[in-house]
Amino acid sequence: NAGVTQTPKFQVLKTGQSMTLQCAQDMNHEYMSWYRQDPGMGLRLIHYSVGAGITDQGEVPNGYNVSRSTTEDFPLRLLSAAPSQTSVYFCASSYLAGRDEQFFGPGTRLTVL
Amino acid sequence: AQSVTQLGSHVSVSEGALVLLRCNYSSSVPPYLFWYVQYPNQGLQLLLKYTSAATLVKGINGFEAEFKKSETSFHLTKPSAHMRDAAEYFCAVSTTGTASKLTFGTGTRLQVTL
């Protein structure tokens, strides 16, 4: 099993550009989520999904869009990048929400100039 | 609403000394509690979790944590620190329900010195 994979590992964008961060898991997990990690702020939930076709907002959803067309994939779209979105982004998955361990991808380091 | 407070953003211990990383939580319903570790330039991995079974939870790499409801705490300990324990540690809380969310603390960076 590859676990949770994320691409790209690094990305530099200019303000106003759009892009999609890819996330895939091969563990047949229903629950997937996106977090951003900023110094001194821990991880904050952006969007999450409890299954294919179902998504919902987390703590910091503004400027981001998600969809879940398959169980395996959960891409995160930046609609119009802003310097405030410079961060490290982590995708995670688990069998269910709540008590199950979340498995994290290696992260994408994004810089917006 | 749920939240986590980690006291001390940086903790430094000598190799062989006790490690104590503090975590207090707030939750209106019985919580699930987790400790995750992040090594440099990596994702997070689970150290241990509390899911309403035994209050003393043992995890990987010799770490353990005790759930104390009266103190709303879930402190992480290890009797003897090793250089390889240097990392950032995150406490997190979630609750039951299909739409349950995992809420993280701000993290504690553990430094281990010779």
Side-chain angles (χ1 to χ4, degrees):
Chain A
N1 285 355
V4 179
T5 58
Q6 292 183 237
T7 56
K9 292 190 185 302
F10 302 93
Q11 183 70 49
V12 179
L13 292 178
K14 294 181 179 179
T15 297
Q17 288 184 315
S18 62
M19 79 159 295
T20 299
L21 307 185
Q22 301 292 345
C23 174
Q25 53 91 9
D26 61 359
M27 297 173 282
N28 203 31
H29 286 167
E30 290 295 327
Y31 186 88
M32 296 186 75
S33 52
W34 276 102
Y35 297 88
R36 60 178 288 173
Q37 183 178 23
D38 302 291
M41 303 189 75
L43 279 80
R44 292 180 293 168
L45 183 64
I46 304 171
H47 284 286
Y48 67 98
S49 170
V50 299
I54 306 169
T55 64
D56 205 349
Q57 296 180 351
E59 181 184 355
V60 288
N62 292 341
Y64 307 95
N65 202 1
V66 292
S67 60
R68 182 100 179 267
S69 56
T70 67
T71 299
E72 295 77 20
D73 300 298
F74 191 44
L76 178 71
R77 298 182 188 85
L78 279 69
L79 308 173
S80 177
S84 61
Q85 294 178 304
T86 293
S87 188
V88 181
Y89 291 85
F90 288 100
C91 179
S93 74
S94 62
Y95 284 110
L96 295 171
R99 63 181 291 157
D100 286 341
E101 171 188 0
Q102 290 201 19
F103 293 83
F104 284 80
T108 294
R109 185 173 296 275
L110 175 68
T111 301
V112 183
L113 302 175
Chain B
Q2 59 198 41
S3 65
V4 170
T5 300
Q6 291 185 243
L7 293 176
S9 57
H10 289 85
V11 170
S12 182
V13 300
S14 300
E15 191 173 35
L18 171 72
V19 175
L20 171 61
L21 304 182
R22 300 179 185 274
C23 171
N24 288 89
Y25 70 91
S26 171
S27 175
S28 58
V29 296
Y32 300 128
L33 293 160
F34 304 80
W35 277 100
Y36 284 85
V37 61
Q38 183 180 33
Y39 298 103
N41 299 314
Q42 294 186 25
L44 280 70
Q45 64 183 84
L46 183 70
L47 270 180
L48 50 80
K49 66 177 181 179
Y50 167 77
T51 57
S52 75
T55 56
L56 181 62
V57 181
K58 294 187 184 298
I60 61 172
N61 302 337
F63 284 93
E64 62 181 38
E66 186 172 7
F67 172 68
K68 292 187 176 180
K69 184 178 178 180
S70 61
E71 299 178 6
T72 61
S73 68
F74 191 57
H75 302 330
L76 183 70
T77 60
K78 181 174 180 178
S80 177
H82 193 277
M83 296 296 289
R84 62 174 173 259
D85 296 326
E88 189 152 21
Y89 293 79
F90 293 94
C91 184
V93 62
S94 70
T95 58
T96 58
T98 55
S100 175
K101 304 170 191 177
L102 190 62
T103 301
F104 285 87
T106 53
T108 298
R109 184 167 299 278
L110 176 66
Q111 180 183 19
V112 183
T113 59
L114 290 172

